[in-house]
Amino acid sequence: MPLSSHADSILGAVRVYPDKTPIYHQGDTAMRIFRVNSGVVMTFRLLEDSRRQITGFCTEGEFFGLSPDGEYKDGAVTVTSAGVQSISIAALESDPVLSAKLLAHSWRKVEDTQSLMMTLTKTSSEARVAAFLVMLAERRGRRDGHEDSAPIQVGLPMSRLDIADYLGLSRETVSRRLTDLQELGLIDLPDIHTACITQFDGLRRRAGLMAAA
Amino acid sequence: MPLSSHADSILGAVRVYPDKTPIYHQGDTAMRIFRVNSGVVMTFRLLEDSRRQITGFCTEGEFFGLSPDGEYKDGAVTVTSAGVQSISIAALESDPVLSAKLLAHSWRKVEDTQSLMMTLTKTSSEARVAAFLVMLAERRGRRDGHEDSAPIQVGLPMSRLDIADYLGLSRETVSRRLTDLQELGLIDLPDIHTACITQFDGLRRRAGLMAAA
DNA sequence: CGTCACGTTGAAGCCTCTCAAAACAGGTGG
DNA sequence: CCACCTGTTTTGAGAGGCTTCAACGTGACG
C-alpha cells in the first residue's frame, strides 16, 4: 500500500463517496472511526417522530463516528461528494499517536458542541444564521488565508432544511433571516448555494456570543 | 472504600471544596484536569453581557476541566460541598491507562452534550424540565439500584436559575413547569431542593426524545 | 424584626412556528 | 427546446409559547 505520511498510513486508503450518500446509520454497531479528507459530511440524530438535529458539518481533517459504547448514536451522510478515511476501533488502541490526536480532537469537539449549544439557547434566529455563516467563513479562513474587510465567499452545499435542523429553526425562518441579512447589506446571495459576506465584522457583531473574561 | 485503586493513586489526593466555591475561571490557563469524587460541580460559560449557559452538572466519577488548547473555555463552581481530584495535563501524557479512560469519557461527553442540544432545540419547556428530572433520577439510579414504579427522590441542590441556564429557559418558566408537573401528579415537591418522582414512566414520556432506529 | 436573595404567580408582548400558496430549480420525456 | 412534474425556496398571515416586567410570598441571617 502506498504511504505518504504516518497518519495517512494508519488511517488507510481514501474512499470517495458521491453526495447524499449515507456512510453509517444511527444505531449501527460502531466498528470504525472516520476522518474527512475532502468535501463535507454531516452527522445527525433522528427521533422517532422524524425530528432531526444535525450535530455537525464536518470538513477536511475532522473526525466523526466516535462512539462511546460500540453503537453509533448519530448517522452520517455526505453533503457533497467527499473523500473519507477510516480506521477500526480495535486498531486504534495500538496507536498511541493517533489516540492522542483523537483525544485533543474530542476535547475540541466538546468545546464546539457547547458553543453551538450556547448559540442555540441564547441567541435570536438572526444571530444564529449570522453565526452559521461566520463559522463557515472562519473554517474556510483556516485553510486559505483571509484578508479582513475583503468579501468572503462561502459555499452552502446543504439545503435550507439542513441549516434549519442544525440551528434549531424552521426552514422558513432560515430563509427569512438570510434575506434579512442580505437587505441589511451584510451578505449577498448570488445563488442558492453561495453566500458572499460583504461585511464580516458587522455579521460577526450580529452573531453576538463574545465570551466574557 | 479508601482510595487505593490505581486510577485514584495517579489522580492525587482528594481536595474538598465548600459549596459555591469556584475551582477555576473561564479564561484561566489550563494546567490540570479534574474528577469529581463526591458532591456536585457545575461548569458554565459566560458571555460579556452576563448571559450564562451551564454546560454540565458533574457528579461522582465525572471529569471536567478538559481544554483543547491550554485555556479553560468554561468556569467550574461547586454546587454542593464537593471532593475533587486533579492531575496535571503534563503528567497525563505519560499515563496511557488514564488517557484511554479520558478518551472514552470524552466521547461520552460529546454524546451527552449532543443529547442535551437535542433536548434544548426540539422540545417544549415542559419536556425539558421533565428530561432534567429524569436525568438526575437515572444518574442516581446508576449508583443505587432503583426499582421501577417506586417513588424516586432526587436532590435539587442548584437554584432555579441554575436549572434555567442549563435548560435554556427563564427561571420563571422553570418554576411554572415544575408546579405543572406536580399538578399533573407526576412529581412531588416536598421542599425547594427536593423532587420526588411518583410516576417515572409518565415523566419520561413527557420528556419525549426517544431515538429512532 | 428588617433585609435580601430566591421562588412563585400574573399579565402583556414578542419571536418563532405552523399552515398555506406562490416562485423557482432540476430532471425527464415528448 | 419546451412542457411537465417534483421537490425546494421564498413569502405571507395567523397562532402559540416563552420571555419580560412586575408584584407578592418565603426562608435565611444579621
Side-chain angles (χ1 to χ4, degrees):
Chain A
M1 106 171 102
L3 338 156
S4 39
S5 81
H6 177 66
D8 283 340
S9 68
I10 179 96
L11 275 164
V14 176
R15 179 165 168 191
V16 177
Y17 295 83
D19 62 336
K20 322 231 168 191
T21 310
I23 296 176
Y24 61 80
H25 296 276
Q26 186 169 327
D28 281 359
T29 305
M31 305 295 291
R32 311 181 72 78
I33 60 172
F34 302 86
R35 181 180 169 279
V36 179
N37 203 55
S38 65
V40 180
V41 174
M42 69 181 188
T43 55
F44 59 93
R45 290 178 170 225
L46 289 174
L47 296 179
E48 46 188 16
D49 58 353
S50 85
R51 280 176 299 184
R52 187 180 66 153
Q53 169 73 42
I54 290 179
T55 49
F57 292 103
C58 304
T59 52
E60 184 184 341
E62 282 190 83
F63 291 92
F64 64 96
L66 282 48
S67 71
D69 59 357
E71 180 185 313
Y72 293 122
K73 295 294 190 302
D74 55 13
V77 186
T78 56
V79 176
T80 64
S81 171
V84 173
Q85 295 172 290
S86 70
I87 181 179
S88 78
I89 291 178
L92 172 67
E93 285 168 15
S94 60
D95 187 332
V97 177
L98 188 55
S99 284
K101 203 183 238 179
L102 263 178
L103 187 57
H105 180 270
S106 300
W107 291 5
R108 205 172 308 120
K109 185 115 187 166
V110 172
E111 295 298 331
D112 290 348
T113 308
Q114 290 180 352
S115 290
L116 179 57
M117 207 166 67
M118 196 97 184
T119 302
L120 300 189
T121 56
K122 302 291 173 188
T123 73
S124 66
S125 61
E126 188 185 72
R128 292 188 218 180
V129 173
F132 180 69
L133 295 173
V134 168
M135 182 193 73
L136 292 183
E138 288 181 335
R139 179 180 289 184
R140 231 216 36 176
R142 242 179 262 172
R143 294 202 304 268
D144 328 339
H146 71 290
E147 313 152 25
D148 274 5
S149 77
I152 307 170
Q153 190 167 320
V154 296
L156 301 174
M158 65 294 289
S159 73
R160 298 292 193 259
L161 182 56
D162 291 338
I163 300 174
D165 282 346
Y166 181 70
L167 296 176
L169 298 170
S170 65
R171 59 187 108 124
E172 293 95 328
T173 298
V174 171
S175 186
R176 278 185 250 268
R177 294 304 96 86
L178 279 173
T179 63
D180 287 354
L181 291 174
Q182 186 172 25
E183 283 169 1
L184 282 166
L186 299 175
I187 65 171
D188 199 38
L189 298 166
D191 71 287
I192 306 282
H193 292 297
T194 312
C196 203
I197 302 175
T198 48
Q199 295 185 230
F200 186 73
D201 290 341
L203 193 65
R204 212 164 134 150
R205 224 168 296 124
R206 288 265 164 184
L209 283 196
M210 314 299 265
Chain B
M1 146 167 89
L3 16 139
S4 52
S5 81
H6 177 66
D8 283 340
S9 64
I10 177 97
L11 275 164
V14 176
R15 179 165 169 192
V16 178
Y17 295 83
D19 62 336
K20 324 233 169 186
T21 309
I23 296 176
Y24 60 80
H25 296 276
Q26 185 170 328
D28 282 359
T29 306
M31 304 295 290
R32 311 181 72 78
I33 60 172
F34 302 86
R35 181 180 170 278
V36 178
N37 203 56
S38 63
V40 181
V41 173
M42 70 180 187
T43 55
F44 59 94
R45 290 178 169 225
L46 288 174
L47 296 180
E48 47 188 14
D49 57 354
S50 85
R51 281 176 299 184
R52 187 180 67 153
Q53 169 72 42
I54 290 177
T55 50
F57 292 104
C58 304
T59 52
E60 184 185 341
E62 281 190 84
F63 292 92
F64 64 96
L66 282 48
S67 71
D69 58 358
E71 180 185 313
Y72 294 122
K73 294 295 190 302
D74 54 14
V77 185
T78 57
V79 176
T80 64
S81 171
V84 173
Q85 294 171 292
S86 69
I87 182 179
S88 78
I89 291 178
L92 173 67
E93 284 168 16
S94 61
D95 187 332
V97 177
L98 188 55
S99 284
K101 202 182 239 180
L102 263 178
L103 187 57
H105 180 270
S106 300
W107 292 4
R108 204 172 307 120
K109 185 115 188 166
V110 172
E111 296 298 332
D112 289 348
T113 308
Q114 289 179 351
S115 290
L116 179 57
M117 208 166 66
M118 197 97 183
T119 301
L120 299 189
T121 56
K122 302 290 175 189
T123 74
S124 66
S125 61
E126 188 185 71
R128 291 188 218 180
V129 173
F132 179 70
L133 296 172
V134 168
M135 181 194 74
L136 292 183
E138 288 181 333
R139 179 180 290 184
R140 231 217 34 177
R142 241 179 263 172
R143 293 202 304 268
D144 327 339
H146 71 290
E147 313 152 24
D148 275 4
S149 77
I152 306 169
Q153 189 167 319
V154 296
L156 301 174
M158 65 294 288
S159 73
R160 297 293 192 259
L161 181 57
D162 291 338
I163 300 174
D165 283 346
Y166 181 70
L167 296 177
L169 298 170
S170 64
R171 58 185 110 100
E172 293 94 329
T173 299
V174 170
S175 186
R176 278 185 250 268
R177 293 304 96 86
L178 279 172
T179 62
D180 288 354
L181 291 174
Q182 186 172 24
E183 282 170 2
L184 283 165
L186 299 175
I187 65 171
D188 198 39
L189 297 166
D191 71 287
I192 307 281
H193 291 298
T194 311
C196 202
I197 303 175
T198 48
Q199 294 186 231
F200 186 74
D201 290 342
L203 193 65
R204 214 165 133 148
R205 225 169 296 124
R206 289 265 164 184
L209 284 197
M210 314 300 265

